[in-house]
Amino acid sequence: MASASCVLSEERLLCSICLDVFTDPVTMSCGHNFCSSCLHTYWDSGDTCQCPMCKREFSTRPELQVNTFISELADEFKKLVQVKASTPGPQLPAVDVLCDFCSEVKEKAVKSCLTCLTSFCESHLEPHRRVAVLKGHTLIEPVKNLDDRMCKTHNKMTELYCLKEQAFICFLCFTADHKGHKAVLLEEQYEKVAATKYETQANMQKLIQTRIEKIAEVEKLLDVSRVDSEKEEQAAVQVFTELIRSIQASQAELVEVIQQRHRGIKQKGEELLKELRREVTELKSRSSQLEHLSQSQDHYHFLQSFLTLSKPPHESCPDTDLGPDLSFQATRGHLTRLKQRVEEIMEEIPEIRMKRMRRMREHAVDLTLDPDTAHNSLVISEDGKQVTVKDNIEKDKVTDNPKRFHVFCQVLAKEGFTTGKFYFEVQVKGKIHWVVGVVRESVERKNWLGRSVENGYWCILLDGGKYKTTADSEPIILKEELQKLGVFVDYNKGEVSFYNVDSKSLIGCITGCCFTEKLYPFFYPGWNAYGRNSAPLIITPVPQTH
């Protein structure tokens, strides 16, 4: 039996009502076990007779049988615990209450006097047992810090309990600070509170039972969540595996088509080269014969041979068209959009959006607008974070320099980048026309060239109520109006991505870029449009997310 109790854990021998090792365990007809006294107390506190675990109800209290098997195991377990408890081991020294009257060697106190506010050992307690006046003092088991029971204001014993303030007070407090409050003697309050002990314990048992049921409910939910998570993970891996397999198969097919086209072109080209070389050889031979014929004095032979030799093998040079073009630019565009669509689908999952936003914001840079590049119709704030267009048409006279834009109201940031990743955010709220992104250092500044990738613009814009990138004429459909734009650049990878900061979603991406120059953040606030586009472009601080 002892060995069996060693195998059983303490949790298996606990009553689910008192959460202690079983005492007089009984078994109900539903199979659940409880301490006999705990079960009857539980029934006494309720209106119905039911099992505390499975909530099965009974019309009358069922006959209970003592579970001798669990009883023996519980007894063995208790003995084992007692043996372990009695085994000497490292323990903290007990804190004893010492006699306040002992002068040299302090003896342990046996009683504390609430009247004297002093603790006494057996010998110093003797007057309290003998002297009539001292016999009336209140003695209790030794306690430390008797001063804590004194009123700090009046230095009197706290013998009352204020019901309004729920505080321990002395008689002087009752006539002063607590005047008019209802107060009772500590003994009276003790008896009143102690009388509610069983009711409190019953309520506590109900709370315990409720928590136990909640624990079982949460454990069940966790088990279901684990199973669902495993199924979802397997399904996701399966879908991605099939997608990867399909993409690899499509890649192999496209490579095969490219190679097949090349083989056809190569074969046709080699045949054409062979024909052209044969004709060159024949033409060289005829040219040599004509040279030799020109030296002949035989007029008849010259005329007869010249007509034959001067006639070319073909009326025209063979066609050099070798067949289908090797370019798959349209296909690459479709695949790029497919990649972007996969990114958009993944970002529909909030956790993935947050994770990607955190990664980008790790590369946030602090930008300041460069007045030396600003068109002379622009107004830049003192902190260099905002740019607007002047209300009037007049332009300020500013010193010209090679960096300044002349045609449109554009401006660059002071900071440029030649490697790595960087990210910044721009508020575009309240605007109906703007362009934001990055440009190469050598972008045209004095004459007008279209804003395109070919001309060094990697940007997103709002024009005529439509969002577009400078790499694609197709409009970007957004579910909501863009308030704050995030721009993420991976220089080495050749990608510029644009994000809706509020929804943390990708709204556009320019890929396949080949950056060879320094890149500068670019801002075009657009013309005022009679005040309808007067809101500024604002470079906003990037919050650090954790």
Side-chain angles (χ1 to χ4, degrees):
M1 184 62 68
S3 61
S5 63
C6 293
V7 174
L8 287 173
S9 63
E10 182 179 0
E11 288 77 6
R12 296 176 180 271
L13 296 174
L14 295 183
C15 170
S16 60
I17 298 179
C18 65
L19 299 182
D20 203 352
V21 178
F22 284 112
T23 302
D24 298 328
V26 292
T27 302
M28 298 186 63
S29 57
C30 58
H32 294 119
N33 301 289
F34 309 94
C35 297
S36 177
S37 60
C38 293
L39 185 57
H40 283 92
T41 302
Y42 177 81
W43 283 342
D44 292 339
S45 63
D47 297 330
T48 59
C49 180
Q50 62 180 3
C51 172
M53 285 292 290
C54 65
K55 301 303 180 184
R56 176 181 172 184
E57 294 189 1
F58 302 89
S59 57
T60 59
R61 293 194 179 187
E63 183 179 351
L64 301 175
Q65 301 294 330
V66 175
N67 191 321
T68 56
F69 179 71
I70 294 181
S71 180
E72 291 176 1
L73 287 178
D75 290 341
E76 288 294 330
F77 186 84
K78 290 176 181 178
K79 292 177 182 178
L80 181 63
V81 171
Q82 290 174 357
V83 170
K84 290 183 178 179
S86 62
T87 303
Q91 297 180 351
L92 293 174
V95 179
D96 295 325
V97 179
L98 301 180
C99 176
D100 294 323
F101 268 79
C102 292
S103 56
E104 296 181 357
V105 179
K106 294 282 188 180
E107 296 290 338
K108 285 177 58 176
V110 294
K111 293 291 181 181
S112 294
C113 178
L114 293 181
T115 307
C116 301
L117 296 179
T118 306
S119 297
F120 300 96
C121 64
E122 190 63 48
S123 60
H124 288 115
L125 184 63
E126 189 273 335
H128 278 73
R129 302 188 189 281
R130 176 173 49 82
V131 180
V133 176
L134 298 180
K135 284 182 179 181
H137 290 189
T138 303
L139 299 177
I140 62 173
E141 292 302 312
V143 294
K144 292 182 67 67
N145 302 323
L146 283 170
D147 290 342
D148 292 345
R149 304 182 180 221
M150 294 289 292
C151 172
K152 300 299 186 291
T153 304
H154 304 106
N155 199 29
K156 297 290 184 181
M157 190 68 181
T158 54
E159 301 179 68
L160 300 175
Y161 184 78
C162 177
L163 297 177
K164 181 177 181 181
E165 301 288 342
Q166 294 185 346
F168 298 96
I169 62 175
C170 69
F171 282 101
L172 292 178
C173 290
F174 181 61
T175 59
D177 298 338
H178 293 261
K179 187 176 181 179
H181 294 181
K182 186 175 181 179
V184 295
L185 293 172
L186 293 183
E187 292 82 354
E188 182 181 343
Q189 183 66 13
Y190 164 78
E191 292 175 358
K192 181 179 178 181
V193 173
T196 65
K197 180 181 70 172
Y198 295 107
E199 181 183 355
T200 303
Q201 286 180 331
N203 291 334
M204 196 69 69
Q205 294 302 329
K206 289 183 179 179
L207 293 175
I208 291 172
Q209 184 60 31
T210 302
R211 270 57 176 180
I212 291 173
E213 293 170 359
K214 286 294 182 182
I215 289 172
E217 182 181 343
V218 171
E219 288 177 342
K220 183 178 180 180
L221 289 174
L222 287 175
D223 289 339
V224 172
S225 175
R226 176 183 56 80
V227 174
D228 290 347
S229 176
E230 291 174 355
K231 290 181 180 178
E232 194 65 28
E233 181 180 341
Q234 292 173 358
V237 170
Q238 177 72 18
V239 170
F240 270 98
T241 301
E242 293 175 359
L243 176 61
I244 293 170
R245 189 182 296 120
S246 174
I247 291 175
Q248 289 175 336
S250 299
Q251 175 184 312
E253 288 177 347
L254 181 58
V255 170
E256 175 60 28
V257 169
I258 294 173
Q259 293 176 348
Q260 184 178 355
R261 286 189 183 183
H262 174 65
R263 286 193 296 269
I265 292 172
K266 181 180 179 182
Q267 180 180 357
K268 190 172 182 179
E270 288 175 347
E271 292 175 355
L272 180 58
L273 287 173
K274 183 178 179 180
E275 175 65 19
L276 289 171
R277 290 189 179 107
R278 187 190 65 75
E279 290 188 5
V280 167
T281 302
E282 184 178 347
L283 289 171
K284 285 183 178 180
S285 174
R286 290 189 182 194
S287 176
S288 176
Q289 292 179 43
L290 283 173
E291 179 65 25
H292 180 72
L293 183 63
S294 65
Q295 300 175 5
S296 174
Q297 298 298 321
D298 187 342
H299 298 164
Y300 177 84
H301 175 68
F302 177 84
L303 292 173
Q304 185 183 38
S305 300
F306 184 82
L307 292 175
T308 302
L309 293 175
S310 62
K311 186 177 181 180
H314 298 284
E315 291 298 328
S316 60
C317 185
D319 187 7
T320 58
D321 183 12
L322 298 181
D325 191 359
L326 284 175
S327 173
F328 286 87
Q329 184 175 356
T331 303
R332 288 198 302 273
H334 293 316
L335 292 174
T336 299
R337 283 190 286 275
L338 174 62
K339 174 179 176 294
Q340 293 177 2
R341 180 56 186 148
V342 172
E343 293 284 336
E344 293 170 359
I345 292 173
M346 293 305 297
E347 289 195 349
E348 291 177 1
I349 302 173
E351 292 85 350
I352 291 181
R353 287 204 305 269
M354 289 294 297
K355 185 177 180 181
R356 291 180 175 177
M357 183 62 73
R358 283 196 297 268
R359 284 204 302 261
M360 287 188 302
R361 283 177 166 173
E362 291 175 357
H363 302 282
V365 292
D366 185 17
L367 301 180
T368 306
L369 298 172
D370 185 1
D372 290 340
T373 66
H375 187 271
N376 55 7
S377 64
L378 294 178
V379 178
I380 297 175
S381 61
E382 291 185 4
D383 61 0
K385 302 296 184 181
Q386 301 186 30
V387 57
T388 55
V389 180
K390 291 183 177 63
D391 292 330
N392 52 24
I393 301 178
E394 283 190 25
K395 302 175 182 178
D396 288 346
K397 294 181 179 180
V398 294
T399 304
D400 192 17
N401 63 75
K403 298 195 301 181
R404 191 177 305 284
F405 286 100
H406 268 200
V407 180
F408 282 101
C409 47
Q410 306 173 149
V411 62
L412 304 181
K414 292 180 180 179
E415 297 76 19
F417 305 89
T418 57
T419 187
K421 305 172 183 178
F422 61 95
Y423 173 82
F424 60 94
E425 294 179 357
V426 183
Q427 179 178 306
V428 296
K429 180 179 179 181
K431 298 192 67 61
I432 61 172
H433 181 42
W434 50 263
V435 184
V436 174
V438 294
V439 299
R440 65 190 178 205
E441 186 174 22
S442 63
V443 69
E444 178 59 45
R445 309 190 188 205
K446 306 304 179 183
N447 302 302
W448 167 241
L449 287 178
R451 297 189 189 97
S452 64
V453 168
E454 293 73 21
N455 292 333
Y457 292 83
W458 295 274
C459 304
I460 189 171
L461 57 96
L462 172 63
D463 188 15
K466 295 180 180 180
Y467 298 93
K468 292 183 287 187
T469 69
T470 54
D472 195 351
S473 59
E474 289 295 321
I476 300 171
I477 307 301
L478 299 184
K479 297 179 180 179
E480 54 192 4
E481 184 179 355
L482 188 61
Q483 304 288 319
K484 186 180 290 187
L485 170 72
V487 181
F488 179 71
V489 181
D490 188 333
Y491 189 103
N492 300 337
K493 194 175 180 180
E495 286 190 0
V496 182
S497 305
F498 307 101
Y499 287 81
N500 183 333
V501 174
D502 295 324
S503 64
K504 299 177 178 57
S505 58
L506 178 69
I507 57 177
C509 186
I510 304 177
T511 61
C513 309
C514 183
F515 301 129
T516 58
E517 301 179 29
K518 182 178 287 190
L519 296 181
Y520 285 90
F522 170 85
F523 307 88
Y524 170 70
W527 298 105
N528 270 343
Y530 302 102
R532 292 185 296 118
N533 194 40
S534 60
L537 287 177
I538 305 175
I539 302 172
T540 59
V542 177
Q544 294 300 313
T545 54
H546 302 283

